[in-house]
Amino acid sequence: MTFVVTDACVKCKYTDCVEVCPVDCFYEGENMLVIHPDECIDCGVCEPECPVDAIKPEADDLLKWVEVNREYALQWPNITKRKDALPEADAFKGLKDKFETHFSPNPGAGD
């Protein structure tokens, strides 16, 4: 089992979750974070830290997100420290289906 970052993170990228992760399994894209599913120890401490409810435990209906998280965790830099959310985070908070129209595959800066 693992936790995954879902669509709700796109264009928000709050990083409260990375500060509490005991195994540093978050990776930073330009406008989203992901969790490396093979590094996550399923402790769940990140889930309640996300202000947009983007972090979910792995489930059958989230298998797409397991693969998205795996793919980009292998491409993006590791992030272990909290940063400010994206400037547009409040405007995009709560919007649905952002991945298809607003996701960027570009890497973030990492630590």
Side-chain angles (χ1 to χ4, degrees):
M1 286 297 271
T2 185
F3 279 78
V4 294
V5 180
T6 63
D7 185 72
C9 186
V10 175
K11 297 289 272 184
C12 291
K13 200 168 82 167
Y14 292 96
T15 58
D16 307 69
C17 52
V18 302
E19 263 189 337
V20 299
C21 181
V23 294
D24 298 335
C25 65
F26 281 88
Y27 292 81
E28 183 183 15
E30 181 177 38
N31 68 2
M32 177 182 182
L33 301 175
V34 294
I35 294 171
H36 193 304
D38 298 330
E39 295 174 1
C40 177
I41 60 171
D42 197 28
C43 68
V45 297
C46 59
E47 185 180 20
E49 297 300 318
C50 182
V52 294
D53 199 30
I55 300 173
K56 304 286 186 187
E58 178 183 348
D60 287 345
D61 62 332
L62 297 175
L63 293 180
K64 166 193 173 180
W65 292 107
V66 174
E67 292 312 311
V68 166
N69 279 244
R70 181 184 318 280
E71 177 181 351
Y72 290 100
L74 295 173
Q75 298 176 36
W76 293 345
N78 190 242
I79 179 172
T80 61
K81 297 178 179 122
R82 188 183 179 288
K83 298 179 180 180
D84 291 336
L86 294 176
E88 63 269 24
D90 286 341
F92 279 87
K93 190 176 184 177
L95 292 180
K96 304 286 184 209
D97 303 320
K98 298 184 287 183
F99 188 79
E100 300 302 324
T101 55
H102 298 290
F103 170 75
S104 169
N106 297 325
D111 284 342

PDB file of all heavy atoms in Angstrom, residues 2 7 10 14 17-19 23-25 33 35-36 41-42 44-45 49 61-62 65 70 77-78 84 90 92 94 100:
ATOM      1  N   THR A   2       0.313   2.294  -0.513  1.00  0.00           N
ATOM      2  CA  THR A   2       1.001   3.572  -0.563  1.00  0.00           C
ATOM      3  C   THR A   2      -0.037   4.687  -0.502  1.00  0.00           C
ATOM      4  O   THR A   2      -1.226   4.438  -0.638  1.00  0.00           O
ATOM      5  CB  THR A   2       1.843   3.701  -1.852  1.00  0.00           C
ATOM      6  OG1 THR A   2       2.589   4.913  -1.808  1.00  0.00           O
ATOM      7  CG2 THR A   2       0.985   3.688  -3.097  1.00  0.00           C
ATOM      8  N   ASP A   7      -5.276  14.708  -8.350  1.00  0.00           N
ATOM      9  CA  ASP A   7      -5.612  15.881  -9.140  1.00  0.00           C
ATOM     10  C   ASP A   7      -5.734  17.175  -8.334  1.00  0.00           C
ATOM     11  O   ASP A   7      -5.416  18.256  -8.833  1.00  0.00           O
ATOM     12  CB  ASP A   7      -6.945  15.563  -9.830  1.00  0.00           C
ATOM     13  CG  ASP A   7      -7.401  16.618 -10.794  1.00  0.00           C
ATOM     14  OD1 ASP A   7      -6.799  16.749 -11.863  1.00  0.00           O
ATOM     15  OD2 ASP A   7      -8.380  17.308 -10.455  1.00  0.00           O
ATOM     16  N   VAL A  10      -2.780  19.796  -8.312  1.00  0.00           N
ATOM     17  CA  VAL A  10      -2.372  20.545  -9.501  1.00  0.00           C
ATOM     18  C   VAL A  10      -2.711  22.027  -9.342  1.00  0.00           C
ATOM     19  O   VAL A  10      -3.821  22.387  -8.970  1.00  0.00           O
ATOM     20  CB  VAL A  10      -3.049  19.972 -10.773  1.00  0.00           C
ATOM     21  CG1 VAL A  10      -2.728  20.830 -11.988  1.00  0.00           C
ATOM     22  CG2 VAL A  10      -2.623  18.529 -11.001  1.00  0.00           C
ATOM     23  N   TYR A  14       0.648  22.808  -2.283  1.00  0.00           N
ATOM     24  CA  TYR A  14       0.959  23.072  -0.878  1.00  0.00           C
ATOM     25  C   TYR A  14       1.987  22.034  -0.455  1.00  0.00           C
ATOM     26  O   TYR A  14       1.927  20.878  -0.887  1.00  0.00           O
ATOM     27  CB  TYR A  14      -0.303  22.941  -0.025  1.00  0.00           C
ATOM     28  CG  TYR A  14      -1.316  24.016  -0.301  1.00  0.00           C
ATOM     29  CD1 TYR A  14      -2.368  23.807  -1.191  1.00  0.00           C
ATOM     30  CD2 TYR A  14      -1.219  25.251   0.332  1.00  0.00           C
ATOM     31  CE1 TYR A  14      -3.301  24.801  -1.435  1.00  0.00           C
ATOM     32  CE2 TYR A  14      -2.154  26.250   0.090  1.00  0.00           C
ATOM     33  CZ  TYR A  14      -3.187  26.014  -0.795  1.00  0.00           C
ATOM     34  OH  TYR A  14      -4.110  27.001  -1.037  1.00  0.00           O
ATOM     35  N   CYS A  17       2.817  18.702   3.573  1.00  0.00           N
ATOM     36  CA  CYS A  17       2.979  17.254   3.657  1.00  0.00           C
ATOM     37  C   CYS A  17       4.444  16.814   3.675  1.00  0.00           C
ATOM     38  O   CYS A  17       4.797  15.845   4.354  1.00  0.00           O
ATOM     39  CB  CYS A  17       2.271  16.590   2.490  1.00  0.00           C
ATOM     40  SG  CYS A  17       2.740  17.267   0.867  1.00  0.00           S
ATOM     41  N   VAL A  18       5.300  17.513   2.942  1.00  0.00           N
ATOM     42  CA  VAL A  18       6.687  17.056   2.831  1.00  0.00           C
ATOM     43  C   VAL A  18       7.446  17.195   4.145  1.00  0.00           C
ATOM     44  O   VAL A  18       8.357  16.422   4.425  1.00  0.00           O
ATOM     45  CB  VAL A  18       7.455  17.762   1.692  1.00  0.00           C
ATOM     46  CG1 VAL A  18       6.770  17.548   0.363  1.00  0.00           C
ATOM     47  CG2 VAL A  18       7.659  19.227   1.950  1.00  0.00           C
ATOM     48  N   GLU A  19       7.049  18.153   4.954  1.00  0.00           N
ATOM     49  CA  GLU A  19       7.724  18.380   6.241  1.00  0.00           C
ATOM     50  C   GLU A  19       7.542  17.232   7.215  1.00  0.00           C
ATOM     51  O   GLU A  19       8.401  16.969   8.029  1.00  0.00           O
ATOM     52  CB  GLU A  19       7.185  19.652   6.897  1.00  0.00           C
ATOM     53  CG  GLU A  19       8.028  20.837   6.657  1.00  0.00           C
ATOM     54  CD  GLU A  19       7.582  22.015   7.509  1.00  0.00           C
ATOM     55  OE1 GLU A  19       6.446  22.089   7.953  1.00  0.00           O
ATOM     56  OE2 GLU A  19       8.445  22.883   7.701  1.00  0.00           O
ATOM     57  N   VAL A  23      10.188   9.499   5.519  1.00  0.00           N
ATOM     58  CA  VAL A  23      11.080   8.837   4.560  1.00  0.00           C
ATOM     59  C   VAL A  23      11.373   9.679   3.324  1.00  0.00           C
ATOM     60  O   VAL A  23      11.994   9.197   2.375  1.00  0.00           O
ATOM     61  CB  VAL A  23      10.531   7.449   4.138  1.00  0.00           C
ATOM     62  CG1 VAL A  23      10.533   6.494   5.309  1.00  0.00           C
ATOM     63  CG2 VAL A  23       9.145   7.553   3.527  1.00  0.00           C
ATOM     64  N   ASP A  24      10.961  10.940   3.338  1.00  0.00           N
ATOM     65  CA  ASP A  24      11.264  11.870   2.246  1.00  0.00           C
ATOM     66  C   ASP A  24      10.924  11.310   0.862  1.00  0.00           C
ATOM     67  O   ASP A  24      11.749  11.290  -0.040  1.00  0.00           O
ATOM     68  CB  ASP A  24      12.738  12.279   2.301  1.00  0.00           C
ATOM     69  CG  ASP A  24      13.093  13.005   3.583  1.00  0.00           C
ATOM     70  OD1 ASP A  24      12.195  13.607   4.190  1.00  0.00           O
ATOM     71  OD2 ASP A  24      14.276  12.956   3.979  1.00  0.00           O
ATOM     72  N   CYS A  25       9.680  10.866   0.707  1.00  0.00           N
ATOM     73  CA  CYS A  25       9.283  10.233  -0.552  1.00  0.00           C
ATOM     74  C   CYS A  25       8.487  11.151  -1.477  1.00  0.00           C
ATOM     75  O   CYS A  25       7.855  10.687  -2.419  1.00  0.00           O
ATOM     76  CB  CYS A  25       8.520   8.941  -0.290  1.00  0.00           C
ATOM     77  SG  CYS A  25       6.944   9.144   0.547  1.00  0.00           S
ATOM     78  N   LEU A  33       2.969  17.992  -6.628  1.00  0.00           N
ATOM     79  CA  LEU A  33       3.868  17.060  -5.953  1.00  0.00           C
ATOM     80  C   LEU A  33       3.412  15.639  -6.243  1.00  0.00           C
ATOM     81  O   LEU A  33       2.247  15.420  -6.569  1.00  0.00           O
ATOM     82  CB  LEU A  33       3.832  17.270  -4.436  1.00  0.00           C
ATOM     83  CG  LEU A  33       4.212  18.637  -3.901  1.00  0.00           C
ATOM     84  CD1 LEU A  33       3.988  18.672  -2.393  1.00  0.00           C
ATOM     85  CD2 LEU A  33       5.643  18.971  -4.242  1.00  0.00           C
ATOM     86  N   ILE A  35       4.187  11.332  -4.767  1.00  0.00           N
ATOM     87  CA  ILE A  35       4.795  10.435  -3.787  1.00  0.00           C
ATOM     88  C   ILE A  35       5.355   9.235  -4.541  1.00  0.00           C
ATOM     89  O   ILE A  35       4.647   8.625  -5.354  1.00  0.00           O
ATOM     90  CB  ILE A  35       3.753   9.948  -2.761  1.00  0.00           C
ATOM     91  CG1 ILE A  35       3.252  11.122  -1.919  1.00  0.00           C
ATOM     92  CG2 ILE A  35       4.322   8.844  -1.879  1.00  0.00           C
ATOM     93  CD1 ILE A  35       2.073  10.785  -1.024  1.00  0.00           C
ATOM     94  N   HIS A  36       6.597   8.874  -4.258  1.00  0.00           N
ATOM     95  CA  HIS A  36       7.156   7.671  -4.876  1.00  0.00           C
ATOM     96  C   HIS A  36       6.521   6.466  -4.183  1.00  0.00           C
ATOM     97  O   HIS A  36       6.743   6.242  -2.996  1.00  0.00           O
ATOM     98  CB  HIS A  36       8.674   7.639  -4.716  1.00  0.00           C
ATOM     99  CG  HIS A  36       9.328   6.605  -5.574  1.00  0.00           C
ATOM    100  ND1 HIS A  36       8.987   5.275  -5.536  1.00  0.00           N
ATOM    101  CD2 HIS A  36      10.300   6.718  -6.508  1.00  0.00           C
ATOM    102  CE1 HIS A  36       9.730   4.606  -6.393  1.00  0.00           C
ATOM    103  NE2 HIS A  36      10.526   5.476  -7.007  1.00  0.00           N
ATOM    104  N   ILE A  41       6.011   4.485   3.115  1.00  0.00           N
ATOM    105  CA  ILE A  41       5.876   3.407   4.099  1.00  0.00           C
ATOM    106  C   ILE A  41       4.449   3.308   4.636  1.00  0.00           C
ATOM    107  O   ILE A  41       4.197   2.605   5.608  1.00  0.00           O
ATOM    108  CB  ILE A  41       6.888   3.553   5.256  1.00  0.00           C
ATOM    109  CG1 ILE A  41       6.688   4.887   5.990  1.00  0.00           C
ATOM    110  CG2 ILE A  41       8.315   3.391   4.722  1.00  0.00           C
ATOM    111  CD1 ILE A  41       7.504   5.013   7.271  1.00  0.00           C
ATOM    112  N   ASP A  42       3.526   4.001   4.006  1.00  0.00           N
ATOM    113  CA  ASP A  42       2.110   3.921   4.353  1.00  0.00           C
ATOM    114  C   ASP A  42       1.826   4.342   5.789  1.00  0.00           C
ATOM    115  O   ASP A  42       0.953   3.790   6.440  1.00  0.00           O
ATOM    116  CB  ASP A  42       1.600   2.489   4.091  1.00  0.00           C
ATOM    117  CG  ASP A  42       0.099   2.397   4.020  1.00  0.00           C
ATOM    118  OD1 ASP A  42      -0.540   3.397   3.645  1.00  0.00           O
ATOM    119  OD2 ASP A  42      -0.444   1.326   4.354  1.00  0.00           O
ATOM    120  N   GLY A  44       0.814   7.435   6.690  1.00  0.00           N
ATOM    121  CA  GLY A  44      -0.364   8.276   6.663  1.00  0.00           C
ATOM    122  C   GLY A  44      -0.233   9.648   7.297  1.00  0.00           C
ATOM    123  O   GLY A  44      -1.206  10.398   7.343  1.00  0.00           O
ATOM    124  N   VAL A  45       0.949  10.017   7.772  1.00  0.00           N
ATOM    125  CA  VAL A  45       1.066  11.313   8.443  1.00  0.00           C
ATOM    126  C   VAL A  45       0.914  12.495   7.472  1.00  0.00           C
ATOM    127  O   VAL A  45       0.550  13.586   7.889  1.00  0.00           O
ATOM    128  CB  VAL A  45       2.373  11.452   9.262  1.00  0.00           C
ATOM    129  CG1 VAL A  45       2.424  10.438  10.379  1.00  0.00           C
ATOM    130  CG2 VAL A  45       3.598  11.361   8.392  1.00  0.00           C
ATOM    131  N   GLU A  49      -2.237  16.611   6.535  1.00  0.00           N
ATOM    132  CA  GLU A  49      -1.528  17.882   6.371  1.00  0.00           C
ATOM    133  C   GLU A  49      -1.925  18.620   5.098  1.00  0.00           C
ATOM    134  O   GLU A  49      -1.697  19.815   4.978  1.00  0.00           O
ATOM    135  CB  GLU A  49      -0.019  17.647   6.366  1.00  0.00           C
ATOM    136  CG  GLU A  49       0.528  17.081   7.658  1.00  0.00           C
ATOM    137  CD  GLU A  49       0.274  17.979   8.855  1.00  0.00           C
ATOM    138  OE1 GLU A  49       0.435  19.206   8.731  1.00  0.00           O
ATOM    139  OE2 GLU A  49      -0.115  17.441   9.908  1.00  0.00           O
ATOM    140  N   ASP A  61      -9.789   2.515  -7.277  1.00  0.00           N
ATOM    141  CA  ASP A  61     -10.206   3.626  -8.126  1.00  0.00           C
ATOM    142  C   ASP A  61      -9.117   4.692  -8.284  1.00  0.00           C
ATOM    143  O   ASP A  61      -9.299   5.665  -9.014  1.00  0.00           O
ATOM    144  CB  ASP A  61     -11.500   4.254  -7.618  1.00  0.00           C
ATOM    145  CG  ASP A  61     -11.378   4.845  -6.224  1.00  0.00           C
ATOM    146  OD1 ASP A  61     -10.548   4.367  -5.426  1.00  0.00           O
ATOM    147  OD2 ASP A  61     -12.127   5.793  -5.928  1.00  0.00           O
ATOM    148  N   LEU A  62      -7.988   4.497  -7.627  1.00  0.00           N
ATOM    149  CA  LEU A  62      -6.879   5.459  -7.711  1.00  0.00           C
ATOM    150  C   LEU A  62      -5.640   4.878  -8.390  1.00  0.00           C
ATOM    151  O   LEU A  62      -4.564   5.465  -8.323  1.00  0.00           O
ATOM    152  CB  LEU A  62      -6.508   5.961  -6.316  1.00  0.00           C
ATOM    153  CG  LEU A  62      -7.589   6.742  -5.585  1.00  0.00           C
ATOM    154  CD1 LEU A  62      -7.131   7.067  -4.171  1.00  0.00           C
ATOM    155  CD2 LEU A  62      -7.953   8.006  -6.334  1.00  0.00           C
ATOM    156  N   TRP A  65      -3.537   7.121 -10.400  1.00  0.00           N
ATOM    157  CA  TRP A  65      -2.692   8.041  -9.639  1.00  0.00           C
ATOM    158  C   TRP A  65      -1.446   7.361  -9.108  1.00  0.00           C
ATOM    159  O   TRP A  65      -0.404   8.006  -8.983  1.00  0.00           O
ATOM    160  CB  TRP A  65      -3.502   8.711  -8.535  1.00  0.00           C
ATOM    161  CG  TRP A  65      -4.506   9.622  -9.143  1.00  0.00           C
ATOM    162  CD1 TRP A  65      -5.842   9.442  -9.226  1.00  0.00           C
ATOM    163  CD2 TRP A  65      -4.215  10.825  -9.846  1.00  0.00           C
ATOM    164  NE1 TRP A  65      -6.418  10.470  -9.932  1.00  0.00           N
ATOM    165  CE2 TRP A  65      -5.438  11.337 -10.321  1.00  0.00           C
ATOM    166  CE3 TRP A  65      -3.041  11.525 -10.123  1.00  0.00           C
ATOM    167  CZ2 TRP A  65      -5.520  12.523 -11.052  1.00  0.00           C
ATOM    168  CZ3 TRP A  65      -3.123  12.707 -10.848  1.00  0.00           C
ATOM    169  CH2 TRP A  65      -4.347  13.184 -11.306  1.00  0.00           C
ATOM    170  N   ARG A  70       4.271   7.322  -9.638  1.00  0.00           N
ATOM    171  CA  ARG A  70       5.496   6.554  -9.918  1.00  0.00           C
ATOM    172  C   ARG A  70       6.275   7.181 -11.079  1.00  0.00           C
ATOM    173  O   ARG A  70       7.482   7.396 -10.993  1.00  0.00           O
ATOM    174  CB  ARG A  70       5.154   5.107 -10.237  1.00  0.00           C
ATOM    175  CG  ARG A  70       6.374   4.224 -10.511  1.00  0.00           C
ATOM    176  CD  ARG A  70       6.013   2.807 -10.928  1.00  0.00           C
ATOM    177  NE  ARG A  70       4.929   2.220 -10.168  1.00  0.00           N
ATOM    178  CZ  ARG A  70       5.042   1.676  -8.960  1.00  0.00           C
ATOM    179  NH1 ARG A  70       6.214   1.649  -8.363  1.00  0.00           N
ATOM    180  NH2 ARG A  70       3.993   1.158  -8.348  1.00  0.00           N
ATOM    181  N   PRO A  77      12.796  16.115  -8.986  1.00  0.00           N
ATOM    182  CA  PRO A  77      13.693  16.147  -7.826  1.00  0.00           C
ATOM    183  C   PRO A  77      12.932  15.941  -6.504  1.00  0.00           C
ATOM    184  O   PRO A  77      11.753  16.273  -6.380  1.00  0.00           O
ATOM    185  CB  PRO A  77      14.308  17.546  -7.877  1.00  0.00           C
ATOM    186  CG  PRO A  77      13.297  18.374  -8.594  1.00  0.00           C
ATOM    187  CD  PRO A  77      12.637  17.454  -9.592  1.00  0.00           C
ATOM    188  N   ASN A  78      13.653  15.397  -5.544  1.00  0.00           N
ATOM    189  CA  ASN A  78      13.120  15.174  -4.207  1.00  0.00           C
ATOM    190  C   ASN A  78      12.900  16.510  -3.506  1.00  0.00           C
ATOM    191  O   ASN A  78      13.647  17.464  -3.702  1.00  0.00           O
ATOM    192  CB  ASN A  78      14.116  14.314  -3.432  1.00  0.00           C
ATOM    193  CG  ASN A  78      13.582  13.819  -2.123  1.00  0.00           C
ATOM    194  OD1 ASN A  78      14.134  14.145  -1.089  1.00  0.00           O
ATOM    195  ND2 ASN A  78      12.541  13.020  -2.144  1.00  0.00           N
ATOM    196  N   ASP A  84       6.375  27.846   0.019  1.00  0.00           N
ATOM    197  CA  ASP A  84       5.089  28.499  -0.177  1.00  0.00           C
ATOM    198  C   ASP A  84       4.326  27.799  -1.302  1.00  0.00           C
ATOM    199  O   ASP A  84       4.922  27.305  -2.263  1.00  0.00           O
ATOM    200  CB  ASP A  84       5.265  29.968  -0.550  1.00  0.00           C
ATOM    201  CG  ASP A  84       5.794  30.800   0.612  1.00  0.00           C
ATOM    202  OD1 ASP A  84       5.599  30.394   1.779  1.00  0.00           O
ATOM    203  OD2 ASP A  84       6.398  31.853   0.345  1.00  0.00           O
ATOM    204  N   ASP A  90      -4.982  29.552  -4.238  1.00  0.00           N
ATOM    205  CA  ASP A  90      -6.327  29.841  -3.737  1.00  0.00           C
ATOM    206  C   ASP A  90      -7.366  29.841  -4.860  1.00  0.00           C
ATOM    207  O   ASP A  90      -8.489  29.382  -4.678  1.00  0.00           O
ATOM    208  CB  ASP A  90      -6.362  31.171  -2.990  1.00  0.00           C
ATOM    209  CG  ASP A  90      -5.707  31.091  -1.622  1.00  0.00           C
ATOM    210  OD1 ASP A  90      -5.549  29.966  -1.088  1.00  0.00           O
ATOM    211  OD2 ASP A  90      -5.349  32.155  -1.080  1.00  0.00           O
ATOM    212  N   PHE A  92      -7.268  28.035  -7.561  1.00  0.00           N
ATOM    213  CA  PHE A  92      -7.455  26.686  -8.090  1.00  0.00           C
ATOM    214  C   PHE A  92      -7.898  25.676  -7.034  1.00  0.00           C
ATOM    215  O   PHE A  92      -8.270  24.555  -7.362  1.00  0.00           O
ATOM    216  CB  PHE A  92      -6.160  26.200  -8.758  1.00  0.00           C
ATOM    217  CG  PHE A  92      -6.000  26.737 -10.144  1.00  0.00           C
ATOM    218  CD1 PHE A  92      -5.408  27.973 -10.350  1.00  0.00           C
ATOM    219  CD2 PHE A  92      -6.452  26.034 -11.247  1.00  0.00           C
ATOM    220  CE1 PHE A  92      -5.261  28.489 -11.634  1.00  0.00           C
ATOM    221  CE2 PHE A  92      -6.321  26.539 -12.519  1.00  0.00           C
ATOM    222  CZ  PHE A  92      -5.715  27.772 -12.719  1.00  0.00           C
ATOM    223  N   GLY A  94      -9.992  23.491  -4.873  1.00  0.00           N
ATOM    224  CA  GLY A  94     -11.354  22.986  -4.989  1.00  0.00           C
ATOM    225  C   GLY A  94     -11.835  22.726  -6.412  1.00  0.00           C
ATOM    226  O   GLY A  94     -12.877  22.107  -6.599  1.00  0.00           O
ATOM    227  N   GLU A 100      -5.958  17.107 -16.464  1.00  0.00           N
ATOM    228  CA  GLU A 100      -6.049  17.083 -17.933  1.00  0.00           C
ATOM    229  C   GLU A 100      -5.780  18.434 -18.575  1.00  0.00           C
ATOM    230  O   GLU A 100      -5.263  18.507 -19.678  1.00  0.00           O
ATOM    231  CB  GLU A 100      -7.426  16.565 -18.367  1.00  0.00           C
ATOM    232  CG  GLU A 100      -7.730  15.152 -17.892  1.00  0.00           C
ATOM    233  CD  GLU A 100      -6.717  14.118 -18.360  1.00  0.00           C
ATOM    234  OE1 GLU A 100      -6.218  14.226 -19.490  1.00  0.00           O
ATOM    235  OE2 GLU A 100      -6.410  13.212 -17.569  1.00  0.00           O
TER     236      GLU A 100
END
